[in-house]
Amino acid sequence: MRILSGIQPSGRLHIGNYFGMMEPSIRLQDEGEAYYFIADYHALTSTHDPAALRENVRNLAIDFLACGLDPGKATFWRQSDVPEVTELAWILSCVTPMGLLERAVSYKDKVSQGLSPSHGLFAYPVLQAADILIFDSNVVPVGRDQKQHLEVTRDIAQKFNDRYGEGLLVIPEPRIREETAMVPGLDGRKMSKSYDNAIDLFEETEKKLRSKIMKIVTDSTPVEASKDPEESYIVQLYRLFATPDEVAEMEASFRAGGQGYGHYKQQLFEHVRDHFAPMRERREALLKDAAYIDDVLAEGAKKAHAQARRTMDRVRAAVGM
Ligand code: AQP
């Protein structure tokens, strides 16, 4: 089984990225051949400062390694080190119906958030399809926001196979875990950099982390009154970090009343801090080892490149090149 996933170097990572993509990818690296990449071509749709892009790539590599990505098990590279994906994206563009892309909600979302409506942003799902298909990927671990893009990838692969030959491209399956499919942000919408509602994976200080968590939106139920845990973003986030017993205890305490939301936020803060403490420590060490990061990405690029070339030989021959 080949597992593939990518993540954009478009700024600081948040715990939605972690639970939606990074943590499942890290777990899956023991279950098959894992291929994970830093999607810097994709980031060009939103990051236009070259120095910032370089820095984001490096920081993302450090953060992913600190969280447990093991380059001994997984191939880990920078997307632009395998430029063949852009060639495949063009070839796939020629079998992609416009209607398929016009229906993509993510393009409309991003434009409504203020991103410039470039052709790159519109064609983003085709490049994403190329990323996945060039590595003959079987399984793609993602958050729920990527479900439609995965469907687009499957449609494009099928259209290519219908035109040029059954079985030429492997049709991938998304892997979306219900419990972490949509991590809520401070305001209950999907946690996202663009909504300014994110808790960073590595907030600069404990104080900053705590003050972020204290900003989680709550209602005005009085301290002594019973509260509905199902309606609380604090509980939704707590479920990601606490044991089932701890969650049951918090839920019971919500229903019983007698505690203010600040009390529960403090509990959540302690869990988040402790969960990421060992990773934070590894990150400090990695920050001092630039050569190691360069080596990991160079080694990963070599392996990914070899695989991409094999697929491209097959694809070029199939289309008549
Ligand atoms: N809130 C989330 N819950 C679960 N999964 C999430 N992902 C992102 N947010 C959540 C997953 O993270 C992976 C990387 O996605 P990306 O590189 O495309 O980043 P993104 O989705 O663009 O992240 P943001 O913060 O939402 O960025 P902006 O604001 O720029 O759009 C994907 O697997 C995604 O599902």
Side-chain angles (χ1 to χ4, degrees):
M1 176 173 79
R2 183 163 296 156
I3 306 140
L4 175 131
S5 201
I7 183 157
Q8 288 191 74
S10 50
R12 296 165 68 88
L13 295 170
H14 53 69
I15 63 176
N17 297 134
Y18 177 76
F19 284 103
M21 183 272 180
M22 299 166 73
E23 193 266 343
S25 301
I26 291 164
R27 235 172 337 94
L28 282 167
Q29 66 190 354
D30 289 314
E31 285 180 34
E33 233 185 309
Y35 275 65
Y36 303 138
F37 67 97
I38 302 174
D40 56 348
Y41 282 136
H42 284 283
L44 284 180
T45 56
S46 60
T47 306
H48 303 135
D49 172 351
L53 184 62
R54 267 183 222 110
E55 196 187 325
N56 289 345
V57 167
R58 172 156 295 275
N59 288 338
L60 195 156
I62 290 171
D63 289 358
F64 215 153
L65 291 164
C67 288
L69 187 147
D70 179 351
K73 294 179 182 166
T75 304
F76 184 41
W77 75 101
R78 182 178 21 220
Q79 184 185 27
S80 58
D81 283 337
V82 183
E84 283 82 353
V85 289
T86 59
E87 182 188 358
L88 182 59
W90 173 254
I91 293 174
L92 296 178
S93 281
C94 298
V95 300
T96 304
M98 280 297 285
L100 199 59
L101 301 183
E102 279 162 357
R103 286 194 293 276
V105 290
S106 155
Y107 173 77
K108 290 171 207 151
D109 267 11
K110 300 237 161 178
V111 171
S112 72
Q113 286 159 21
L115 275 192
S116 69
S118 64
H119 174 256
L121 194 62
F122 183 71
Y124 189 112
V126 184
L127 180 57
Q128 190 171 345
D131 291 325
I132 296 167
L133 300 172
I134 206 166
F135 294 105
D136 291 337
S137 317
N138 307 107
V139 168
V140 185
V142 285
R144 192 185 292 138
D145 57 340
Q146 290 292 329
K147 190 167 186 269
Q148 191 189 31
H149 283 174
L150 256 293
E151 280 156 13
V152 170
T153 296
R154 289 167 57 86
D155 279 359
I156 293 175
Q158 198 50 61
K159 290 234 171 329
F160 184 90
N161 287 351
D162 289 346
R163 186 174 294 173
Y164 294 110
E166 216 32 66
L168 272 169
L169 295 177
V170 174
I171 313 279
E173 296 286 340
R175 178 76 62 94
I176 300 172
R177 278 175 68 211
E178 243 351 276
E179 319 84 80
T180 54
M182 201 285 277
V183 175
L186 303 175
D187 56 1
R189 293 184 295 169
K190 182 196 111 148
M191 186 175 289
S192 175
K193 282 182 297 287
S194 2
Y195 296 156
D196 200 17
N197 65 355
I199 302 170
D200 290 356
L201 203 47
F202 297 112
E203 292 284 353
E204 277 138 26
T205 59
E206 253 183 47
K207 201 169 155 213
K208 244 183 155 169
L209 174 64
R210 189 171 180 282
S211 82
K212 273 265 177 84
I213 290 176
M214 291 296 156
K215 286 192 194 125
I216 294 174
V217 173
T218 51
D219 58 24
S220 51
T221 312
V223 171
E224 59 286 358
S226 166
K227 302 170 186 69
D228 182 358
E230 293 312 318
E231 293 297 312
S232 166
Y233 313 136
I234 306 171
V235 178
Q236 284 173 33
L237 288 167
Y238 194 64
R239 287 190 184 125
L240 300 169
F241 295 94
T243 64
D245 284 350
E246 288 169 329
V247 174
E249 210 175 293
M250 185 180 277
E251 289 174 349
S253 170
F254 258 68
R255 291 197 185 93
Q259 292 284 5
Y261 287 119
H263 170 78
Y264 303 117
K265 288 179 179 175
Q266 177 66 26
Q267 282 181 298
L268 174 62
F269 157 68
E270 286 166 16
H271 274 74
V272 178
R273 180 197 59 198
D274 295 350
H275 187 90
F276 292 114
M279 304 174 202
R280 185 180 281 276
E281 214 171 287
R282 275 204 297 275
R283 182 170 179 267
E284 290 306 316
L286 287 165
L287 279 166
K288 295 186 197 115
D289 201 349
Y292 173 72
I293 307 298
D294 290 341
D295 286 353
V296 166
L297 293 178
E299 190 53 34
K302 224 194 299 171
K303 282 200 221 157
H305 213 166
Q307 173 58 39
R309 283 212 191 99
R310 281 196 289 276
T311 308
M312 285 316 295
D313 286 348
R314 204 167 74 220
V315 166
R316 285 197 196 113
V319 302
M321 285 169 179

